[in-house]
């Protein structure tokens, strides 16, 4: 699989997101997710905000 990096907008504390990843989390502090497939902004109900899909 080819690695592709895209710019992720700066998120403010309290911004709700949904992250799609391969399930691996590194045991470090803070925890790190190594393989991320997608990051979506979500509303207070956990629904993806249109335009970020």
């Amino acid at each position: 699989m080819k690695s592709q990096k895209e710019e992720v907008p700066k998120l403010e504390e309290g911004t709700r997101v949904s992250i799609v990843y391969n399930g691996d989390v590194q045991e470090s502090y803070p925890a790190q997710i190594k393989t991320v497939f997608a990051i979506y902004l979500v509303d207070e109900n956990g629904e993806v905000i249109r335009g970020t899909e």
Side-chain angles (χ1 to χ4, degrees), residues 15-53:
T15 302
R16 295 175 184 256
V17 296
S18 176
I19 302 172
V20 181
Y21 65 102
N22 69 348
D24 294 336
V25 178
Q26 294 181 334
E27 294 182 18
S28 61
Y29 182 82
Q32 297 177 48
I33 300 172
K34 202 154 188 175
T35 304
V36 174
F37 300 114
I39 300 173
Y40 300 105
L41 296 176
V42 297
D43 63 18
E44 60 278 349
N45 298 316
E47 298 294 322
V48 174
I49 298 172
R50 291 184 71 76
T52 63
E53 320 173 340

Side-chain angles (χ1 to χ4, degrees), residues 4-15:
Q4 178 181 355
K5 293 185 179 184
E6 295 183 23
E7 284 294 315
V8 177
K10 185 175 181 180
L11 302 174
E12 297 180 14
E13 185 175 332
T15 302

